[in-house]
Amino acid sequence: MSYIIGISSFYHDSSVAIVKDNILIDYLKEESFTRIKGNSVFPKRSLLHLVKKYNLTNSKIQACVFYEKPFLSWSIITLFSLKKPFERWKISSSQFKKLWSGSLSFSTYTKKILNLDENKNLYAPHHMSHALTAISFDKKIENKDRLIFVIDAVGDGETISIFKNSNKTFKKIFVEEYPNSLGLFYSAVTDYLGYSVNEGEYKVMGLASYGTPVYKDYILENIISWKNEKLFFNLKWFDFDKNPEKTYSKIFEDFFGKIPHKKHFSNIKSSEFKRLANIAASFQTALEEILKKIVSWAIKKTGITNVYFSGGVALNSRAMQKIAEMEVVKKFTIPPSPSDTGSSIGAASFGNFVLNKRFLNETSLFFSNNFFFPKTNILLQLFDEIKHDDFFGYISRLISQNQYVCTFVDGAEIGPRALGHRSILCSAKEISLKNDLNRNKKGREHFRPMAPIVQKENLSRYFYTKKKYQHNLEWMGMTLNCKELTLKHYPSCIHVDKTSRVQVVSNKNLFIYKLLNKLKKYNHELILNTSFNYAGDPIVFDYIDCYTAMKKMGLNYLITENKIFVIK
């Protein structure tokens, strides 16, 4: 009996994955334990929990794999900063501090927590971790030609990698290096708009739909462009290469205008909101245009039309829709967790391939609950059970009566998006419910969209879709354009640009599928879904989190696998 452990940490969204017999058997995010969203620390708590759960010892562990090569990653950024020591001294200082902490101390942690032999530590190339995460959710791994795009901020000094994968061989056909980075390009506008880098990019994407890309051409002519098989990047507009705490430069600020205040986002009709939305729209469409050019070039170069996307940029579901809909793309796949938080899966897969010459089998979207205390005792202390004769009938009545229900069902979602197991659900017919959830319950920006869930057999009735990318909809990998029927009957799940980040369910997600069957009685074929958390908090992990979040949001109903509770 041997296990392979994959670890992602020290940058953002730390996580641990564990593989046994070619199957991913568990996965944990450190933020679930620390309750700090996007926590970057070494995932000590997650690892200790898995040690206890699986009785892990040195003899049982085949390898512990880190998701990047620490010294390579450190040295590339450090050497770059030392080329201009006076201009980039803040970066250099930050890098030298990492000599005593961060990824270079990975083996120290594995020795202390696992008592692991030094030779069992492996280091995967960062972009290979992303690439292997992408193919870990394939139904049939072998005998496919794939074109895998990995695009993020930076990893091991690389910002774009394109792999040609045929059977069990990987060939890197293109690489772009730091500081030329599409991820950091988008992070700069995220930072400028007042959102946290590596966390707020999806807010920029949502805001972009309210604007007009008035600066797109200027951006593509002066700031960033793809020409002659090369990404051109004008560093004068950015500060990330000089300052670890700021990504955009004074030139950026002088051109796009004063830094916004949070109050500027509160009035959609104001000129200031429109200005900010136009900036977001310009960066979003510039990103989309460059991505499409890169994809077109790579397909023409290789002749491979089976496209995969991974890395943090793949979380941009609107951009992923644009790529998926390209005629030259014949099949399109994004993993449920393409960013660093999912790279622990790719790291474990790398170890499995190096040691056992096998890729992972198709990976589940959900993993088993992990508790330190008896579930029933905690539940009864915090909630009262509601007696009923018809479980799904009772829940569907609540939803049809415009009530919110919180779900804590079976295993937790592997990616950042709630898929009905750790969700807040309500009717998709009433726009007032969405507005109330955003503003009053979750404390989110009012312009943020919420997602619909629909049964697979009803998908084409409500959305424009093609078979080549439908599998990504199981985990909300991309947006779709809505049909008029959706606009008429389910307006609250449609964004201002008439798209929705749809989740499609079949009997593989049996709980939500059964609920939607019951909701048909109340003329509901779509249901509104948002993650079970207050804005800025991680998604709930245990029943104490459920209670805390529900108290904070003023929500009443909690649904487990087969019981309905009301908060005390």
Side-chain angles (χ1 to χ4, degrees), residues 17 65 124 128-134 136 342-351 360:
V65 190
M128 181 62 75
S129 294
H130 281 305
L132 289 170
T133 301
S136 295
S343 289
S344 59
I345 299 169
S349 179
F350 177 82
L360 298 184

Side-chain angles (χ1 to χ4, degrees), residues 479-499:
T479 55
L480 295 180
N481 293 326
C482 302
K483 291 186 175 181
E484 287 299 319
L485 188 66
T486 322
L487 292 164
K488 181 179 179 181
H489 294 292
Y490 301 99
S492 69
C493 66
I494 302 168
H495 199 31
V496 67
D497 61 357
K498 297 184 180 180
T499 66

Side-chain angles (χ1 to χ4, degrees), residues 182-190 201 204-205 280 283-284 287 316:
L182 280 171
L184 291 170
F185 161 79
Y186 205 82
S187 291
V189 72
T190 302
E201 282 80 1
V204 179
M205 181 179 64
F283 275 78
Q284 175 69 29
L287 174 71
N316 192 308

Side-chain angles (χ1 to χ4, degrees), residues 432-470:
S432 59
L433 293 180
K434 184 197 81 167
N435 292 339
D436 180 53
L437 266 177
N438 263 342
R439 296 176 179 176
N440 304 322
K441 297 294 190 288
K442 295 195 66 172
R444 305 196 324 170
E445 293 82 1
H446 62 95
F447 59 80
R448 300 258 301 274
M450 289 188 182
I453 306 178
V454 63
Q455 289 176 321
K456 186 175 182 179
E457 54 267 32
N458 289 328
L459 174 64
S460 60
R461 186 177 178 205
Y462 291 101
F463 302 94
Y464 295 100
T465 183
K466 293 183 180 179
K467 186 177 180 181
K468 65 176 179 176
Y469 52 66
Q470 281 185 9

Side-chain angles (χ1 to χ4, degrees), residues 238-444:
F238 305 95
D239 253 14
F240 62 78
D241 62 315
K242 310 173 195 67
N243 187 348
E245 297 178 357
K246 187 182 178 185
T247 57
Y248 59 91
S249 70
K250 190 175 186 304
I251 293 175
F252 189 113
E253 187 178 338
D254 288 343
F255 181 83
F256 289 109
K258 62 181 180 180
I259 302 169
H261 188 276
K262 285 185 179 180
K263 66 181 181 181
H264 295 144
F265 296 101
S266 61
N267 184 2
I268 292 177
K269 296 180 180 180
S270 71
S271 59
E272 184 64 7
F273 181 89
K274 184 66 174 176
R275 178 182 78 87
L276 300 173
N278 287 346
I279 294 169
S282 300
F283 275 78
Q284 175 69 29
T285 52
L287 174 71
E288 293 167 6
E289 189 162 315
I290 290 175
L291 288 174
K292 288 166 68 175
K293 287 181 178 180
I294 294 172
V295 170
S296 294
W297 168 79
I299 288 176
K300 185 176 181 180
K301 180 179 176 68
T302 63
I304 300 172
T305 58
N306 182 17
V307 171
Y308 290 68
F309 248 81
S310 195
V313 172
L315 284 175
N316 192 308
S317 53
R318 179 174 159 179
M320 294 303 101
Q321 178 187 358
K322 301 294 184 181
I323 296 165
E325 291 177 343
M326 294 172 65
E327 288 188 11
V328 293
V329 174
K330 302 306 179 186
K331 185 182 177 186
F332 184 72
T333 301
I334 320 144
S337 192
S339 66
D340 279 10
T341 188
S343 289
S344 59
I345 299 169
S349 179
F350 177 82
N352 193 53
F353 183 74
V354 168
L355 297 172
N356 304 319
K357 307 303 178 188
R358 299 177 70 189
F359 292 124
L360 298 184
N361 291 335
E362 182 184 3
T363 301
S364 171
L365 292 176
F366 307 98
F367 281 90
S368 60
N369 292 329
N370 298 276
F371 293 104
F372 298 99
F373 39 73
K375 293 192 291 185
T376 303
N377 291 346
I378 289 292
L379 264 174
L380 295 178
Q381 289 175 35
L382 303 175
F383 301 89
D384 291 320
E385 185 177 353
I386 296 175
K387 302 299 181 182
H388 55 82
D389 297 323
D390 182 358
F391 179 64
F392 288 104
Y394 193 98
I395 301 170
S396 61
R397 282 197 302 275
L398 288 174
I399 291 172
S400 69
Q401 294 165 1
N402 293 338
Q403 296 290 330
Y404 305 110
V405 299
C406 305
T407 64
F408 194 86
V409 176
D410 297 323
E413 291 87 343
I414 199 168
R417 291 155 183 163
L419 304 175
H421 285 208
R422 302 291 184 273
S423 291
I424 303 170
L425 306 175
C426 68
S427 169
K429 292 179 177 287
E430 301 292 336
I431 291 179
S432 59
L433 293 180
K434 184 197 81 167
N435 292 339
D436 180 53
L437 266 177
N438 263 342
R439 296 176 179 176
N440 304 322
K441 297 294 190 288
K442 295 195 66 172
R444 305 196 324 170

Side-chain angles (χ1 to χ4, degrees), residues 5 40 81 99 113 163 176 183 195 256 278 358 402 408 429 547 551:
I5 298 169
S40 63
S81 66
L99 282 171
I113 297 172
F163 297 90
E176 186 62 73
Y195 302 122
F256 289 109
N278 287 346
R358 299 177 70 189
N402 293 338
F408 194 86
K429 292 179 177 287
Y547 180 82
K551 275 291 188 182

